[in-house]
Amino acid sequence: MSATTHLDPISLAELTAKAELQTRVDRKYVLPLEAARELVELLDPRTRVLEIDGERTFRYRSVYFDTPDLVSYRLTAHRRRRRFKVRTRTYLDSALCWLEVKTEGYRGGTVKNRLPYQACDHDTVEPGRWFVDDVLGHSAGLDLAPTLLTHYRRTTFYQPADDSRATVDVDLTWTGVDGTALTLPHVAVVETKTGSAVSPVDRLLWARGHRPTSISKYATGLAALHPDLPAVPWRRLMRRHFP
């Protein structure tokens, strides 16, 4: 986002050391793009923005994997306690890739486990099957195949007041395995990531009338592309923001 020029940079190494937050509480907000830009301008001036090689916004590609009967999706749609997501995430500007497994942690927190991965394997879990089975345990041996592809651009902010992070994702695109695509060019997804407490960015959003909403890039995107799927948690959101 171009509105970050007034903020000091932070390197990836320093950000990871200060606020890796692999176990965390995530709060997500869906805003009009202009509201997200206004939010960035109002951030505490001590806020720092991730900068790598002079760039502050980075392209992400994620491939989500699910079973033929979409067990990962359905567990999320029905708010089951043992829900999970399996994906590869590629940072297109650096060609770095990870295999990630996200699970539900204690009291609703998110636990993310990840494994360095070859970018050429981004559309298969087989080289990391052992890792997925080890993390999931109870779901080991699931028949997982690519189900959804997402692209977006992300800017990451570090809040020194509480060592929390916030991200702003724009240019969101979802593509199904059949090639059907959905793009939201006028919407931003803001996500705060904290150890547990409310962050300064949360308070700023609340003061401007924005409240956390239920959105999963995987589940909400898949529901938007396939209206026949159960989608109770995201119907209001999709009516408002999704064409």
Side-chain angles (χ1 to χ4, degrees):
M1 301 183 71
S2 59
T4 66
T5 53
H6 63 294
L7 299 175
D8 289 335
I10 186 171
S11 69
L12 180 59
E14 187 178 1
L15 178 67
T16 301
K18 291 179 177 293
E20 186 174 23
L21 296 172
Q22 295 300 92
T23 300
R24 68 202 187 205
V25 174
D26 297 336
R27 298 178 182 88
K28 300 176 183 178
Y29 306 80
V30 180
L31 280 63
L33 185 59
E34 285 305 314
R37 288 173 174 158
E38 292 172 2
L39 171 73
V40 172
E41 293 172 357
L42 294 171
L43 290 175
D44 184 326
R46 295 172 297 174
T47 300
R48 298 166 67 186
V49 59
L50 176 63
E51 182 175 297
I52 303 174
D53 295 332
E55 298 295 329
R56 294 188 168 193
T57 300
F58 306 97
R59 297 173 298 151
Y60 283 52
R61 178 183 64 208
S62 297
V63 180
Y64 289 88
F65 301 85
D66 211 334
T67 63
D69 59 346
L70 302 178
V71 67
S72 174
Y73 173 86
R74 294 181 190 280
L75 288 171
T76 302
H78 295 297
R79 289 290 186 265
R80 294 295 186 259
R81 179 69 179 82
R82 303 182 79 177
R83 57 188 181 266
F84 66 91
K85 292 188 187 73
V86 178
R87 72 186 179 200
T88 57
R89 168 165 286 178
T90 305
Y91 301 85
L92 295 174
D93 297 291
S94 63
L96 292 176
C97 184
W98 298 84
L99 174 62
E100 300 183 341
V101 182
K102 297 180 74 174
T103 55
E104 193 75 4
Y106 180 64
R107 292 185 177 179
T110 300
V111 180
K112 182 169 72 173
N113 293 274
R114 61 181 190 168
L115 176 75
Y117 218 54
Q118 294 294 321
C120 60
D121 292 326
H122 72 273
D123 60 354
T124 177
V125 298
E126 290 314 308
R129 165 61 68 174
W130 62 272
F131 172 75
V132 175
D133 290 349
D134 184 60
V135 174
L136 295 181
H138 66 284
S139 300
L142 288 174
D143 180 16
L144 296 171
T147 307
L148 188 70
L149 173 68
T150 66
H151 285 88
Y152 53 91
R153 296 189 303 120
R154 168 170 288 185
T155 307
T156 299
F157 301 90
Y158 167 66
Q159 295 278 295
D162 62 349
D163 288 331
S164 66
R165 283 189 287 144
T167 58
V168 179
D169 299 339
V170 299
D171 295 339
L172 295 109
T173 300
W174 292 264
T175 306
V177 293
D178 61 355
T180 305
L182 169 67
T183 301
L184 298 183
H186 305 300
V187 169
V189 175
V190 177
E191 187 169 351
T192 63
K193 309 164 195 287
T194 68
S196 60
V198 173
S199 75
V201 176
D202 288 303
R203 293 191 180 92
L204 185 57
L205 285 160
W206 296 353
R208 298 183 67 78
H210 303 293
R211 291 294 180 268
T213 189
S214 176
I215 181 172
S216 156
K217 285 194 181 70
Y218 171 56
T220 309
L222 197 64
L225 290 174
H226 299 279
D228 56 312
L229 291 173
V232 172
W234 313 292
R235 282 177 182 166
R236 182 178 178 183
L237 173 71
M238 291 192 296
R239 283 197 300 267
R240 182 174 182 182
H241 293 289
F242 286 64

